Short mmCIF file of all heavy atoms in Angstrom, two decimals:
data_model
loop_
_atom_site.label_atom_id
_atom_site.label_comp_id
_atom_site.label_asym_id
_atom_site.label_seq_id
_atom_site.Cartn_x
_atom_site.Cartn_y
_atom_site.Cartn_z
N GLY G 171 -14.72 7.58 -0.31
CA GLY G 171 -14.94 8.84 -0.84
C GLY G 171 -13.67 9.50 -1.49
O GLY G 171 -13.68 10.80 -1.90
N ALA G 172 -12.57 8.84 -1.48
CA ALA G 172 -11.36 9.47 -1.95
C ALA G 172 -11.19 9.41 -3.47
O ALA G 172 -11.63 8.33 -4.04
CB ALA G 172 -10.11 8.81 -1.29
N TYR G 173 -10.72 10.34 -4.15
CA TYR G 173 -10.40 10.38 -5.53
C TYR G 173 -9.17 9.55 -5.86
O TYR G 173 -9.17 8.72 -6.73
CB TYR G 173 -10.14 11.84 -6.06
CG TYR G 173 -9.59 11.84 -7.30
CD1 TYR G 173 -10.29 11.68 -8.57
CD2 TYR G 173 -8.14 12.01 -7.50
CE1 TYR G 173 -9.71 11.75 -9.94
CE2 TYR G 173 -7.56 12.01 -8.78
CZ TYR G 173 -8.33 11.91 -9.92
OH TYR G 173 -7.76 11.94 -11.13
N GLY G 174 -8.23 9.68 -5.01
CA GLY G 174 -6.87 9.07 -5.16
C GLY G 174 -6.20 8.49 -4.05
O GLY G 174 -6.71 8.88 -2.86
N VAL G 175 -5.28 7.61 -4.16
CA VAL G 175 -4.56 6.98 -3.03
C VAL G 175 -3.02 6.98 -3.45
O VAL G 175 -2.65 6.65 -4.52
CB VAL G 175 -4.98 5.60 -2.75
CG1 VAL G 175 -3.99 4.96 -1.70
CG2 VAL G 175 -6.38 5.58 -2.18
N PHE G 176 -2.22 7.52 -2.42
CA PHE G 176 -0.82 7.42 -2.66
C PHE G 176 -0.34 6.14 -1.71
O PHE G 176 -0.64 6.28 -0.44
CB PHE G 176 0.06 8.60 -2.23
CG PHE G 176 1.54 8.43 -2.36
CD1 PHE G 176 2.11 8.48 -3.55
CD2 PHE G 176 2.28 8.27 -1.13
CE1 PHE G 176 3.43 8.34 -3.66
CE2 PHE G 176 3.57 8.10 -1.30
CZ PHE G 176 4.22 8.09 -2.56
N SER G 177 0.25 5.16 -2.31
CA SER G 177 0.60 3.98 -1.52
C SER G 177 2.12 3.81 -1.39
O SER G 177 2.72 3.80 -2.42
CB SER G 177 -0.01 2.73 -2.21
OG SER G 177 0.38 1.60 -1.60
N VAL G 178 2.59 3.76 -0.17
CA VAL G 178 3.99 3.41 0.15
C VAL G 178 4.11 2.56 1.41
O VAL G 178 3.22 2.83 2.26
CB VAL G 178 4.85 4.68 0.22
CG1 VAL G 178 4.46 5.54 1.33
CG2 VAL G 178 6.26 4.36 0.17
N GLN G 179 4.92 1.60 1.31
CA GLN G 179 5.11 0.72 2.60
C GLN G 179 6.57 0.66 2.94
O GLN G 179 7.51 0.81 2.12
CB GLN G 179 4.61 -0.66 2.26
CG GLN G 179 3.20 -0.81 2.15
CD GLN G 179 2.67 -0.24 0.73
OE1 GLN G 179 3.34 -0.64 -0.32
NE2 GLN G 179 1.60 0.43 0.72
N PRO G 180 6.85 0.57 4.22
CA PRO G 180 8.19 0.33 4.70
C PRO G 180 8.65 -1.02 4.14
O PRO G 180 7.90 -1.97 4.13
CB PRO G 180 8.12 0.30 6.27
CG PRO G 180 6.67 -0.08 6.59
CD PRO G 180 5.90 0.48 5.39
N ALA G 181 9.94 -1.13 3.76
CA ALA G 181 10.59 -2.26 3.21
C ALA G 181 10.70 -3.31 4.38
O ALA G 181 10.72 -3.08 5.55
CB ALA G 181 11.88 -2.12 2.73
N GLN G 182 10.62 -4.68 3.94
CA GLN G 182 10.67 -5.76 4.93
C GLN G 182 12.07 -5.93 5.27
O GLN G 182 12.42 -6.77 6.24
CB GLN G 182 9.94 -7.01 4.36
CG GLN G 182 10.65 -7.53 3.14
CD GLN G 182 9.85 -8.62 2.44
OE1 GLN G 182 8.74 -8.80 2.61
NE2 GLN G 182 10.49 -9.30 1.55
N ASP G 183 13.07 -5.34 4.72
CA ASP G 183 14.46 -5.58 5.01
C ASP G 183 15.01 -4.36 5.69
O ASP G 183 14.10 -3.28 5.94
CB ASP G 183 15.26 -5.86 3.77
CG ASP G 183 14.78 -7.23 3.29
OD1 ASP G 183 14.94 -8.25 3.86
OD2 ASP G 183 14.37 -7.26 2.16
N ALA G 184 16.27 -4.23 6.01
CA ALA G 184 16.95 -3.12 6.60
C ALA G 184 16.71 -1.81 5.83
O ALA G 184 16.65 -1.90 4.55
CB ALA G 184 18.46 -3.43 6.80
N PRO G 185 16.63 -0.59 6.43
CA PRO G 185 16.71 -0.56 7.99
C PRO G 185 15.30 -0.62 8.66
O PRO G 185 15.25 -0.59 9.84
CB PRO G 185 17.13 0.90 8.08
CG PRO G 185 16.56 1.64 6.89
CD PRO G 185 16.46 0.62 5.73
N HIS G 186 14.23 -1.01 7.94
CA HIS G 186 12.93 -0.96 8.57
C HIS G 186 12.47 -2.27 9.19
O HIS G 186 12.02 -2.38 10.19
CB HIS G 186 11.80 -0.61 7.64
CG HIS G 186 12.13 0.82 7.06
ND1 HIS G 186 12.02 1.97 7.78
CD2 HIS G 186 12.50 1.13 5.80
CE1 HIS G 186 12.26 3.03 6.91
NE2 HIS G 186 12.66 2.56 5.80
N PHE G 187 12.76 -3.37 8.47
CA PHE G 187 12.57 -4.76 8.93
C PHE G 187 11.03 -4.91 9.34
O PHE G 187 10.75 -5.41 10.31
CB PHE G 187 13.36 -5.17 10.10
CG PHE G 187 14.82 -5.31 9.71
CD1 PHE G 187 15.75 -4.39 10.21
CD2 PHE G 187 15.30 -6.42 9.03
CE1 PHE G 187 17.14 -4.55 9.90
CE2 PHE G 187 16.62 -6.61 8.70
CZ PHE G 187 17.50 -5.56 9.08
N ALA G 188 10.21 -4.26 8.46
CA ALA G 188 8.73 -4.37 8.71
C ALA G 188 8.22 -5.70 8.12
O ALA G 188 8.61 -6.05 7.04
CB ALA G 188 7.97 -3.21 7.96
N GLU G 189 7.47 -6.35 8.90
CA GLU G 189 6.91 -7.60 8.44
C GLU G 189 5.80 -7.40 7.45
O GLU G 189 5.04 -6.55 7.65
CB GLU G 189 6.47 -8.48 9.68
CG GLU G 189 7.56 -8.97 10.51
CD GLU G 189 7.10 -9.81 11.57
OE1 GLU G 189 5.94 -10.19 11.53
OE2 GLU G 189 7.89 -10.23 12.47
N GLY G 190 5.68 -8.22 6.40
CA GLY G 190 4.56 -8.21 5.61
C GLY G 190 4.45 -7.09 4.62
O GLY G 190 3.33 -6.62 4.44
N GLU G 191 5.49 -6.58 4.03
CA GLU G 191 5.37 -5.54 3.15
C GLU G 191 4.45 -5.85 2.14
O GLU G 191 3.64 -4.88 1.70
CB GLU G 191 6.74 -5.12 2.55
CG GLU G 191 6.70 -4.06 1.51
CD GLU G 191 8.10 -3.79 0.71
OE1 GLU G 191 9.12 -4.51 1.05
OE2 GLU G 191 8.11 -2.89 -0.06
N VAL G 192 4.37 -6.97 1.41
CA VAL G 192 3.60 -7.30 0.33
C VAL G 192 2.08 -7.26 0.88
O VAL G 192 1.24 -6.66 0.25
CB VAL G 192 3.88 -8.64 -0.15
CG1 VAL G 192 2.81 -9.08 -1.21
CG2 VAL G 192 5.26 -8.65 -0.92
N ARG G 193 1.86 -7.87 2.04
CA ARG G 193 0.46 -7.87 2.60
C ARG G 193 0.02 -6.48 2.76
O ARG G 193 -1.16 -6.09 2.46
CB ARG G 193 0.40 -8.56 4.01
CG ARG G 193 -0.84 -8.68 4.63
CD ARG G 193 -0.86 -9.53 5.87
NE ARG G 193 0.04 -8.98 6.87
CZ ARG G 193 -0.26 -8.00 7.69
NH1 ARG G 193 -1.52 -7.52 7.72
NH2 ARG G 193 0.56 -7.53 8.59
N LEU G 194 0.69 -5.48 3.21
CA LEU G 194 0.47 -4.12 3.51
C LEU G 194 0.11 -3.45 2.20
O LEU G 194 -0.91 -2.73 1.97
CB LEU G 194 1.41 -3.31 4.21
CG LEU G 194 1.81 -3.85 5.54
CD1 LEU G 194 2.89 -2.92 6.28
CD2 LEU G 194 0.66 -3.95 6.51
N GLY G 195 1.00 -3.66 1.10
CA GLY G 195 0.69 -2.99 -0.15
C GLY G 195 -0.56 -3.54 -0.84
O GLY G 195 -1.31 -2.78 -1.59
N VAL G 196 -0.74 -4.88 -0.62
CA VAL G 196 -1.91 -5.44 -1.20
C VAL G 196 -3.24 -4.97 -0.56
O VAL G 196 -4.20 -4.67 -1.26
CB VAL G 196 -1.85 -6.96 -1.16
CG1 VAL G 196 -3.17 -7.67 -1.36
CG2 VAL G 196 -0.88 -7.62 -2.13
N ASN G 197 -3.13 -4.78 0.71
CA ASN G 197 -4.25 -4.22 1.46
C ASN G 197 -4.56 -2.83 1.00
O ASN G 197 -5.91 -2.50 0.79
CB ASN G 197 -3.96 -4.15 2.98
CG ASN G 197 -4.11 -5.49 3.72
OD1 ASN G 197 -4.61 -6.44 3.17
ND2 ASN G 197 -3.81 -5.54 4.95
N VAL G 198 -3.60 -1.95 0.70
CA VAL G 198 -3.92 -0.65 0.25
C VAL G 198 -4.65 -0.72 -1.04
O VAL G 198 -5.56 -0.05 -1.40
CB VAL G 198 -2.73 0.24 0.32
CG1 VAL G 198 -2.92 1.54 -0.37
CG2 VAL G 198 -2.05 0.41 1.72
N ALA G 199 -3.99 -1.56 -1.94
CA ALA G 199 -4.58 -1.70 -3.32
C ALA G 199 -5.92 -2.31 -3.36
O ALA G 199 -6.88 -1.70 -4.03
CB ALA G 199 -3.61 -2.56 -4.16
N ASP G 200 -6.22 -3.19 -2.47
CA ASP G 200 -7.54 -3.89 -2.38
C ASP G 200 -8.54 -2.73 -1.84
O ASP G 200 -9.61 -2.69 -2.29
CB ASP G 200 -7.54 -4.99 -1.43
CG ASP G 200 -6.91 -6.21 -2.15
OD1 ASP G 200 -6.64 -6.09 -3.44
OD2 ASP G 200 -6.49 -7.25 -1.41
N ALA G 201 -8.08 -2.01 -0.81
CA ALA G 201 -9.05 -0.92 -0.21
C ALA G 201 -9.37 0.13 -1.33
O ALA G 201 -10.52 0.61 -1.39
CB ALA G 201 -8.49 -0.29 0.97
N ALA G 202 -8.32 0.49 -2.07
CA ALA G 202 -8.50 1.51 -3.06
C ALA G 202 -9.58 1.01 -4.17
O ALA G 202 -10.45 1.72 -4.63
CB ALA G 202 -7.18 1.86 -3.78
N HIS G 203 -9.37 -0.35 -4.53
CA HIS G 203 -10.26 -0.87 -5.52
C HIS G 203 -11.64 -1.01 -5.07
O HIS G 203 -12.65 -0.66 -5.70
CB HIS G 203 -9.76 -2.31 -5.81
CG HIS G 203 -10.44 -3.13 -6.96
ND1 HIS G 203 -11.39 -4.03 -6.67
CD2 HIS G 203 -10.41 -2.91 -8.28
CE1 HIS G 203 -11.84 -4.48 -7.81
NE2 HIS G 203 -11.38 -3.77 -8.82
N ALA G 204 -11.85 -1.50 -3.82
CA ALA G 204 -13.16 -1.42 -3.20
C ALA G 204 -13.84 -0.20 -3.04
O ALA G 204 -14.99 -0.06 -3.15
CB ALA G 204 -12.99 -2.31 -1.77
N ALA G 205 -13.04 0.91 -2.80
CA ALA G 205 -13.68 2.22 -2.65
C ALA G 205 -13.90 2.89 -4.04
O ALA G 205 -14.42 3.99 -4.01
CB ALA G 205 -12.71 3.12 -1.86
N GLY G 206 -13.54 2.24 -5.16
CA GLY G 206 -13.63 2.88 -6.44
C GLY G 206 -12.78 4.01 -6.76
O GLY G 206 -13.16 4.89 -7.48
N VAL G 207 -11.55 3.99 -6.07
CA VAL G 207 -10.56 5.09 -6.24
C VAL G 207 -10.24 5.26 -7.77
O VAL G 207 -10.15 4.16 -8.41
CB VAL G 207 -9.36 4.90 -5.45
CG1 VAL G 207 -8.19 5.69 -5.92
CG2 VAL G 207 -9.74 5.13 -3.88
N ARG G 208 -10.14 6.56 -8.31
CA ARG G 208 -9.89 6.82 -9.69
C ARG G 208 -8.53 6.84 -10.01
O ARG G 208 -8.13 6.79 -11.19
CB ARG G 208 -10.65 8.00 -10.04
CG ARG G 208 -12.23 7.80 -10.05
CD ARG G 208 -12.98 9.10 -10.05
NE ARG G 208 -12.68 9.91 -11.26
CZ ARG G 208 -13.17 11.14 -11.34
NH1 ARG G 208 -14.02 11.73 -10.45
NH2 ARG G 208 -12.98 11.88 -12.55
N HIS G 209 -7.55 6.99 -9.10
CA HIS G 209 -6.09 6.96 -9.44
C HIS G 209 -5.38 6.54 -8.18
O HIS G 209 -5.40 7.13 -7.13
CB HIS G 209 -5.78 8.41 -9.79
CG HIS G 209 -4.42 8.56 -10.46
ND1 HIS G 209 -3.94 9.72 -10.97
CD2 HIS G 209 -3.45 7.62 -10.66
CE1 HIS G 209 -2.79 9.54 -11.56
NE2 HIS G 209 -2.46 8.12 -11.41
N LEU G 210 -4.53 5.52 -8.37
CA LEU G 210 -3.64 5.08 -7.34
C LEU G 210 -2.18 5.43 -7.82
O LEU G 210 -1.89 5.07 -9.02
CB LEU G 210 -3.70 3.55 -7.04
CG LEU G 210 -2.74 2.90 -6.23
CD1 LEU G 210 -3.00 3.15 -4.70
CD2 LEU G 210 -2.59 1.42 -6.42
#
């Protein structure tokens, strides 16, 4: 039901060292696409 999505992920390097930045960003984009979001 969302019109738009703002997508940001923690970096996989310092200082966050979050694993799987690409996977998280892809997940958000895929969810936006599946929901028919009109602006990412």
Side-chain angles (χ1 to χ4, degrees):
Y173 163 82
V175 171
F176 177 78
S177 175
V178 64
Q179 291 75 45
Q182 63 191 14
D183 295 302
H186 302 289
F187 293 106
E189 293 185 5
E191 178 188 359
V192 173
R193 179 175 62 87
L194 300 183
V196 165
N197 277 351
V198 174
D200 287 346
H203 184 257
V207 162
R208 291 163 62 185
H209 195 175
L210 173 78

